């Protein structure tokens, strides 16, 4: 996977609301599911701005027909961590990664 790059212009300069994260299901071609991470208070206190709602989303994985697109809100901007393709046998299992996420919308092809 490549180094993270700033996400596209369609990502706001703030954390997403759960509804905005859920909308990625409709906004992303071939999207199957949207996963979000619920961070503990220690992480949230360093990542989430003070004026953000308590349910602000700062980590999103969009599962598509071909892979997993990973995004994270870091230092005041959304970063694109790239896509891990389903057919990449050398990549670690996304099932292990997504154990710490929750399925927000859609239906995943993974068995967790």
């Amino acid at each position: 996977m490549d180094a993270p790059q700033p996400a596209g212009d369609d990502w706001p300069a703030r954390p997403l609301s759960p509804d905005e994260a859920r909308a990625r299901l409709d906004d992303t071609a071939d999207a199957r599911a949207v996963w979000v991470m619920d961070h503990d208070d220690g992480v949230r206190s360093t990542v989430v701005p003070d004026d953000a709602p308590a349910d602000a989303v700062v980590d999103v994985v969009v599962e598509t027909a071909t892979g997993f697109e990973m995004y994270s809100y870091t230092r005041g901007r959304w970063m694109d961590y790239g896509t891990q393709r389903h057919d990449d046998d050398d990549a670690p299992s996304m099932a292990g990664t997504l154990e710490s996420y929750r399925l927000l919308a859609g239906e995943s092809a993974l068995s967790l």
Side-chain angles (χ1 to χ4, degrees):
M1 199 156 304
D2 297 328
Q5 299 294 318
D9 293 338
D10 58 334
W11 289 84
R14 57 173 171 66
L16 297 177
S17 71
D19 286 340
E20 289 171 315
R22 194 175 289 110
R24 295 285 157 182
L25 190 60
D26 297 325
D27 296 343
T28 305
D30 298 329
R32 292 180 177 169
V34 174
W35 297 81
V36 297
M37 183 180 284
D38 295 319
H39 293 287
D40 63 32
D41 290 340
V43 172
R44 290 187 70 78
S45 68
T46 60
V47 176
V48 178
D50 292 338
D51 60 348
D55 61 354
V57 173
V58 295
D59 281 297
V60 176
V61 173
V62 179
E63 181 179 344
T64 69
T66 57
F68 299 91
E69 301 175 2
M70 296 169 272
Y71 303 92
S72 185
Y73 182 78
T74 307
R75 295 185 180 128
R77 69 187 317 171
W78 281 96
M79 299 299 289
D80 181 343
Y81 281 78
T83 301
Q84 180 174 316
R85 296 185 49 85
H86 293 299
D87 61 2
D88 185 350
D89 294 332
D90 294 329
S93 167
M94 280 304 287
T97 299
L98 292 176
E99 284 180 352
S100 58
Y101 285 68
R102 73 178 159 91
L103 182 62
L104 179 68
E107 293 184 29
S108 176
L110 291 177
S111 308
L112 299 182

